[in-house]
Amino acid sequence: MSKDYYNILGIERNSSPDDIKRAFRRLAHEHHPDKSGGNEAKFKEVNEAFQVLGDAEKRRQYDQFGQTFEDAQRNGGGFHGFSGGQNINFDFSDLGDLFGSAFGGGATSAEETRGRDIRVDVELSIPQAVLGLEKEFRLMKLCSCEACGGSGAEKGSVMASCKKCNGRGHVERVRRVLFGNMRVQETCDACHGRGKKPEKECGRCDGTGVTRREDQFTVAIPAGINHGQQIRIAGRGEAAPFGGESGDLYIRVHLDIPNRVSKKARKLLEELREEL
């Protein structure tokens, strides 16, 4: 009996190709056998459904004839578009990050890595919130290495093309899946996606380009800021190792309103902040 591939992916029959990819990505991550709590049988079933519904021609044939890949094999090829052979190789390299993330591959370039965002709370008095001020922050976090400037290279050393990936930043591997072999791209573990690595690694950061230290800086809190409002400072989060993009800093404001302030005074203060 034919399987209901739409039901397996949890989508409607009129779902778009993007909807199909999103459903597959989510379920593949959920059921991948390499993950804790993964389900190999479910993973294979999801993969099988995607092989048909993710291909426009095969999806058209499935919608028209109700045939699954297994049905076509049993029937000696059943209808055009399915092969009756036993060894089938799929080349998914053109699908890039979709299969890289779903089947264990990481980002394929250093630019895709990103440092952790940081969220802090700050308490302001009513006058400070109304008038605004400059607030100093001291945070212990991952910062760009001061010795190498974040490059990971020892002073005087140069960056050379990675020999393992030939400067591409990724390597290709073949993995066994339900229908045969799947070729996927994975981040090169030698250069961490940069395509190049230092001839001699920085002794202070061990070549990562980041160290944990105190970062001191000042942020201008605008006048009239409201209780619960958030300020985003781009690039002030933690630095990413191996040349990735730094995260952001989010500052959430809390107003210190004394309990002795009457309800009428509180209302006037809120109105004043809104006007500002």
Side-chain angles (χ1 to χ4, degrees), residues 14-188:
N14 61 351
S15 296
S16 68
D18 287 339
D19 291 334
I20 294 172
K21 288 181 181 180
R22 280 192 291 268
F24 168 70
R25 184 196 293 266
R26 175 177 56 82
L27 293 172
H29 275 290
E30 180 181 347
H31 298 302
H32 197 283
D34 290 344
K35 294 182 62 176
S36 176
N39 187 317
E40 185 174 2
K42 285 282 188 182
F43 176 77
K44 288 181 178 180
E45 192 175 49
V46 168
N47 187 43
E48 179 183 342
F50 182 74
Q51 301 311 318
V52 176
L53 300 186
D55 183 284
E57 179 61 20
K58 292 179 182 179
R59 181 184 182 185
R60 183 189 65 79
Q61 293 166 346
Y62 173 75
D63 290 342
Q64 183 176 356
F65 300 106
Q67 284 269 45
T68 66
F69 185 88
E70 293 173 350
D71 291 335
Q73 282 190 311
R74 273 197 303 271
N75 296 331
F79 51 83
H80 180 70
F82 288 101
S83 169
Q86 297 299 315
N87 297 315
I88 301 168
N89 292 310
F90 295 94
D91 183 357
F92 290 108
S93 58
D94 59 329
L95 292 182
D97 64 335
L98 171 63
F99 289 96
S101 59
F103 295 101
T108 58
S109 67
E111 288 74 15
E112 294 178 21
T113 63
R114 190 173 186 275
R116 186 173 65 92
D117 291 338
I118 297 177
R119 289 172 172 80
V120 297
D121 294 276
V122 61
E123 189 173 271
L124 303 180
S125 66
I126 294 298
Q128 288 175 327
V130 171
L131 300 175
L133 77 159
E134 290 190 343
K135 185 77 174 177
E136 184 179 274
F137 289 86
R138 295 172 179 263
L139 300 176
M140 285 296 299
K141 63 187 184 74
L142 286 179
C143 301
S144 179
C145 177
E146 294 179 309
C148 65
S151 69
E154 187 69 32
K155 187 175 181 180
S157 177
V158 297
M159 301 292 288
S161 179
C162 177
K163 295 180 180 179
K164 184 171 183 178
C165 64
N166 295 319
R168 294 191 300 261
H170 63 265
V171 293
E172 290 188 349
R173 301 188 188 279
V174 176
R175 297 197 176 187
R176 185 72 178 173
V177 294
L178 180 64
F179 300 138
N181 295 323
M182 175 181 291
R183 190 187 309 161
V184 296
Q185 289 184 355
E186 295 180 349
T187 301
C188 176

Side-chain angles (χ1 to χ4, degrees), residues 209-264:
V210 296
T211 57
R212 183 169 292 277
R213 57 182 171 84
E214 183 180 75
D215 186 22
Q216 180 179 343
F217 54 93
T218 301
V219 174
I221 307 294
I225 195 165
N226 287 319
H227 177 77
Q229 193 170 343
Q230 189 168 259
I231 302 171
R232 172 178 172 266
I233 312 296
R236 271 295 179 181
E238 289 201 329
F242 307 110
E245 179 186 1
S246 295
D248 297 333
L249 171 66
Y250 292 87
I251 303 171
R252 184 177 293 277
V253 173
H254 301 272
L255 299 188
D256 180 19
I257 303 178
N259 292 329
R260 64 179 180 272
V261 177
S262 67
K263 290 183 178 180
K264 184 176 181 180

